[in-house]
Amino acid sequence: MIHIPIVLYHRIGPPEEALGLRSIYVSPRAFAEQMAYLHRQGYTTLSPAQIPPILRGERKPPKRPIVLTFDDGSHTVYTSAFPVLDKNGLKAVVFIVAGLVGQISLWCNDKEAEPHRLMSWEELTELQKYGHYLESHTINHPWLSRLTPSKTREELDSSKKLLEDKLGRPVSSVAYPYGDYTREVIQITQEVGYQWACSTHIGNRHQPEDLFQLKRVLVGPDTSLSRFKYRLSGLYDLEYKLKDK
Ligand SMILES: [Zn+2]
């Protein structure tokens, strides 16, 4: 088991202004506190390419490795997370809904949820220029387990190719929308050339055989700094493992 927290964020903004989807907001103040903490403690953010060899034990991880992931490509990543990450020398892995770049979050059809703006290609290009990584969150953000295998393949394959075409660098990972996947989805993910994938299972210690269903650390609007520190620790993983049984 290798201990690497893969933190999951969605939107950075005032939770009290969120309509419907409060749980996916982290306030700018809490986010700044969390990033400053990581910086002070000497955490090193990993690139997507570093993850498979480290998990397979082929390469030694740096001291205090961490992965900062953002699902969906919300414009708040650009406006509110990016400056803070940059200030603290941290790099993010942003999972982009490739078919909705520069548009709104069409998959949130809950009528309470406001249409939310997603980053444009120009914004993504700038993030990449500053060393952040743009990876896949499919084309349309579907429930992959509900699609036919050929539709699943298209979502995974075309999103990878579209991002690679537009951004000019290899895309090696995907986060399954809603954390929804099956054995068959994993198989297709591997076949179209991804090297690893994120689920939304909770935890921070990984085995090499879990490369296509990596666990993440959840951070929400009510996560205090002490709770955040705890979630980065090995105890968090243990707590969830005990609950699973
Ligand atoms: Zn998502």
Side-chain angles (χ1 to χ4, degrees), residues 53-175:
I54 289 177
L55 286 197
R56 285 195 294 258
E58 297 158 9
R59 206 200 282 182
K60 228 180 101 170
K63 213 177 102 216
R64 301 206 171 195
I66 193 164
V67 184
L68 300 173
T69 68
F70 291 81
D71 282 15
D72 302 342
S74 156
H75 76 277
T76 65
V77 174
Y78 184 81
T79 55
S80 307
F82 175 31
V84 179
L85 291 163
D86 207 42
K87 186 175 147 200
N88 290 287
L90 301 163
K91 305 297 177 203
V93 176
V94 190
F95 293 109
I96 303 298
V97 183
L100 294 175
V101 172
Q103 300 183 47
I104 56 168
S105 55
L106 287 175
W107 68 91
C108 299
N109 47 13
D110 176 343
K111 46 183 177 316
E112 277 181 51
E114 83 279 35
H116 186 80
R117 190 168 78 75
L118 305 172
M119 285 185 282
S120 64
W121 289 114
E122 292 70 32
E123 289 166 330
L124 296 180
T125 305
E126 197 178 346
L127 278 186
Q128 182 170 270
K129 211 166 74 194
Y130 279 79
H132 302 288
Y133 304 95
L134 304 164
E135 301 285 302
S136 171
H137 200 34
T138 71
I139 290 280
N140 297 301
H141 205 285
W143 293 83
L144 290 173
S145 73
R146 301 178 189 171
L147 300 182
T148 61
S150 73
K151 251 316 210 178
T152 298
R153 183 176 300 269
E154 194 185 313
E155 285 282 345
L156 292 166
D157 191 34
S158 326
S159 55
K160 184 175 190 297
K161 290 193 175 128
L162 180 59
L163 290 166
E164 287 175 342
D165 262 15
K166 288 278 196 180
L167 299 166
R169 61 161 287 277
V171 166
S172 66
S173 65
V174 60

Side-chain angles (χ1 to χ4, degrees), residues 170-211:
V171 166
S172 66
S173 65
V174 60
Y176 306 120
Y178 312 103
D180 174 50
Y181 67 98
T182 59
R183 280 271 136 219
E184 194 172 28
V185 169
I186 291 186
Q187 170 140 19
I188 297 170
T189 303
Q190 293 171 333
E191 282 168 7
V192 303
Y194 289 101
Q195 306 297 309
W196 57 279
C198 276
S199 70
T200 49
H201 297 308
I202 292 172
N204 57 31
R205 284 160 21 106
H206 316 278
Q207 292 180 318
E209 52 272 35
D210 292 336
L211 260 176

